[in-house]
Amino acid sequence: MRILWRVVLAVGLPVVLIAAWWFGSAGSTDFYWPSLSTIVDTFGRTWTWEMFQEQVFPSLWRLLAGYFLAVLLGVALGALIGLNRVVRDLLEPVLEFLRAFPPPVLVPAAILLAGIGDRTKILVIVFGCVWPVLLNTIEGVRARDEVLSDTCRTYRITGLLRLRHLVLRAASPQIVTGARQALPLAIILMVISEMMAANEGLGFTVLQFQRGFQIPEMWSGVLLLGLIGIVLSLLFRLAERSLLGWYHGQRAGQREF
Amino acid sequence: MVSVAARRPRVTGRRYRSVTLGALGLIGFGLVLEVAPRIGVVPIDFAPPTSQILVTLVGQLDDGSFWTALLHTLGTWAGGLAIAVVAGAVIGVLLGSLPILRAATTTTIEFLRPIPSVALIPLVIVLYGPTVRSTLILVVYAAFWQMLIQVVHGVADVDPVALDTARSFRLSPWARVRHVVWPSALPYVMTGLRLAAAVALILTITGELVIGSPGLGKEIDTAQQSNEVRLVYALIVVTGLLGVLINLVVRWGERRLLSWHPANRAEKGAA
């Protein structure tokens, strides 16, 4: 009974909302607001396997390449800066300033510097996503537990071992927070760089539909972008659960006391 | 562990050193960007030295259209942020204080939140064209979630013992909100506000760049199209300064409103 109630609570509102959209728009004659059944129908015809290969996969590849490069770079530089106080003092204001830039303004600058190829887009994504990861890593590395640090020192754990088991492990909840903040930024930057400077890709295609007044196709593209966002955030949560299982368990344990 | 009393006098000295180092870092950063194009590390035609960018920037200060664009950007940002913050706070308090409502909406919120706001761009162009309204919708959509999630968590996180205590002292519902719920949710609310303010700026500029609604973003796009390289960079610097300024103002407000909070008091001692 309680499980049933939970299920109702979880799926009730989404079902109601989708049903309201479906039936509310069923007889729609408005050119800009096609019925949901038309959109779903168009979705199947528009986003075929070839379309995915030509337009969607290149976009996703740039997105993931840029995102992972940004995370890697952010963690590496963050550990470096977090471990060294002089470097940290020297760079902190510069980093705060660079972070304050709204990342989309990089697109015009990157077009000037590197044209409109793949490299520009990946560069823009890396430059936009690196800040949350970097700053969170610095904070996480700084805030590592004193007792654990001392224990490491006592046991003469140094170098890579110390980095892997103390520094990065201690910072990992913060690193994951940064990576989570970076994910929607990566999607935004991928779409924008394709809307402003591209002749292929998901953002470009959706904007082409809009310019050609192919309204149901455009709606289906908007839905696809939304679905990609949802799927990526689900994947992220799965990854987080396996990476930070120890941490969440520890927290839950503390709460029980 | 060194004793606290022994560490105190060193705090000001270290503070002074870190400020000096920070200033040095900024100057060094500017110098690198000045020298790199001049010695040909990056193409000087597409990455002008800092000094030229700054000269162009100062030149813009006499230009009426620059100020109009800046005001447009600030107006869209503030308007969108205000709508998102009010809506997020009201709905957040509602969802946070009624567990059944929260349970019923969780999946929907988790589903809608990761939808990238830029997915709405083609939609708003078709519906409203290159207007401020189009950009405003993007800004509100993006900033709303930041605020909502924080407020829901903040209100749900109120200490039940404190709330029960207030109830047994017969505090009126209004007094409970005023003295128990509001102060304990405030740190979350301020975090939400800070995140929302930054996201709102990003989406304001994005809307102006891609949709073409009036503002700094549109000016950057126009300058890039007409190959006015220095102007592109000068305007980009302005958006960066805007970001810094917004961050400083929100941080300042946060510190003033939350000066009583343990996190702030601890910071003062340990900084």
Side-chain angles (χ1 to χ4, degrees), chain B residues 222-246:
Chain B
T222 316
Q224 186 249 316
Q225 306 259 348
S226 49
N227 232 356
E228 291 183 66
V229 178
R230 285 176 206 173
L231 187 56
V232 173
Y233 285 100
L235 291 171
I236 290 176
V237 170
V238 174
T239 63
L241 292 176
L242 215 54
V244 172
L245 200 69
I246 286 171

Side-chain angles (χ1 to χ4, degrees), chain B:
Chain B
M1 278 295 270
V2 193
S3 80
V4 176
R7 274 174 62 183
R8 267 282 155 72
R10 273 173 55 200
V11 167
T12 44
R14 188 189 296 161
R15 191 86 197 242
Y16 178 73
R17 209 189 63 173
S18 80
V19 169
T20 321
L21 278 175
L24 271 177
L26 276 174
I27 295 169
F29 180 65
L31 276 178
V32 167
L33 291 186
E34 172 76 29
V35 172
R38 291 197 187 277
I39 59 173
V41 178
V42 288
I44 197 162
D45 287 340
F46 297 122
T50 317
S51 55
Q52 293 185 4
I53 296 173
L54 290 181
V55 167
T56 314
L57 181 59
V58 172
Q60 281 294 299
L61 301 183
D62 287 335
D63 195 335
S65 65
F66 166 76
W67 292 105
T68 324
L70 183 64
L71 281 180
H72 268 296
T73 299
L74 280 176
T76 313
W77 170 78
L81 183 64
I83 298 173
V85 163
V86 171
V90 170
I91 300 176
V93 167
L94 217 67
L95 296 186
S97 38
L98 297 172
I100 185 142
L101 219 55
R102 189 164 88 237
T105 49
T106 308
T107 44
T108 313
I109 291 174
E110 284 306 305
F111 193 71
L112 290 176
R113 198 164 56 120
I115 294 178
S117 44
V118 285
L120 304 176
I121 287 179
L123 214 62
V124 292
I125 298 182
V126 160
L127 294 175
Y128 305 113
T131 58
V132 170
R133 190 170 170 187
S134 296
T135 304
L136 210 55
I137 293 175
L138 290 187
V139 175
V140 171
Y141 181 85
F144 171 73
W145 300 114
Q146 309 283 344
M147 194 65 193
L148 179 75
I149 302 290
Q150 287 292 324
V151 175
V152 169
H153 281 275
V155 173
D157 194 44
V158 173
D159 185 2
V161 176
L163 208 56
D164 286 344
T165 312
R167 225 176 258 133
S168 55
F169 279 134
R170 301 249 170 101
L171 259 66
S172 69
W174 168 244
R176 286 207 299 269
V177 170
R178 170 76 189 78
H179 295 293
V180 181
V181 178
W182 174 245
S184 67
L186 197 59
Y188 289 85
V189 175
M190 290 312 290
T191 306
L193 187 69
R194 181 152 47 82
L195 294 173
V199 167
L201 182 67
I202 294 178
L203 266 299
T204 304
I205 304 281
T206 306
E208 292 165 359
L209 266 173
V210 182
I211 299 174
S213 70
L216 288 172
K218 188 185 178 184
E219 299 295 310
I220 293 175
D221 190 44
T222 316
Q224 186 249 316
Q225 306 259 348
S226 49
N227 232 356
E228 291 183 66
V229 178
R230 285 176 206 173
L231 187 56
V232 173
Y233 285 100
L235 291 171
I236 290 176
V237 170
V238 174
T239 63
L241 292 176
L242 215 54
V244 172
L245 200 69
I246 286 171
N247 221 335
L248 283 179
V249 169
V250 180
R251 282 270 164 92
W252 175 80
E254 203 172 353
R255 256 199 306 275
R256 287 209 49 172
L257 270 173
L258 295 175
S259 52
W260 50 271
H261 196 266
N264 277 315
R265 287 189 305 209
E267 216 169 74
K268 245 172 241 163

Side-chain angles (χ1 to χ4, degrees), chain A residues 16-157:
Chain A
V16 169
L17 287 177
I18 293 172
W21 187 5
W22 184 277
F23 291 111
S25 67
S28 170
T29 50
D30 191 330
F31 181 66
Y32 295 121
W33 295 93
S35 70
L36 184 55
S37 59
T38 317
I39 297 172
V40 170
D41 198 39
T42 316
F43 193 99
R45 276 185 287 111
T46 308
W47 302 102
T48 55
W49 180 243
E50 289 97 85
M51 194 70 162
F52 262 85
Q53 279 181 315
E54 280 165 27
Q55 309 291 356
V56 182
F57 290 151
S59 296
L60 288 178
W61 142 246
R62 290 191 285 258
L63 172 75
L64 294 178
Y67 179 71
F68 282 116
L69 270 176
V71 171
L72 223 71
L73 203 68
V75 172
L77 287 178
L80 214 71
I81 298 169
L83 286 172
N84 189 325
R85 183 178 293 130
V86 176
V87 177
R88 194 163 71 229
D89 283 345
L90 201 62
L91 290 183
E92 211 141 50
V94 178
L95 297 178
E96 286 290 336
F97 178 61
L98 286 175
R99 187 183 62 147
F101 281 96
V105 299
L106 301 170
V107 180
I111 296 172
L112 285 175
L113 278 170
I116 65 168
D118 267 7
R119 219 173 35 160
T120 305
K121 285 161 208 146
I122 294 176
L123 200 77
V124 167
I125 296 175
V126 171
F127 200 87
C129 294
V130 77
W131 307 115
V133 184
L134 178 66
L135 296 178
N136 272 298
T137 308
I138 296 176
E139 277 304 304
V141 169
R142 268 183 67 176
R144 65 190 181 278
D145 191 42
E146 289 262 339
V147 178
L148 288 180
S149 289
D150 288 344
T151 313
C152 261
R153 213 168 292 133
T154 319
Y155 282 108
R156 301 241 172 104
I157 298 171

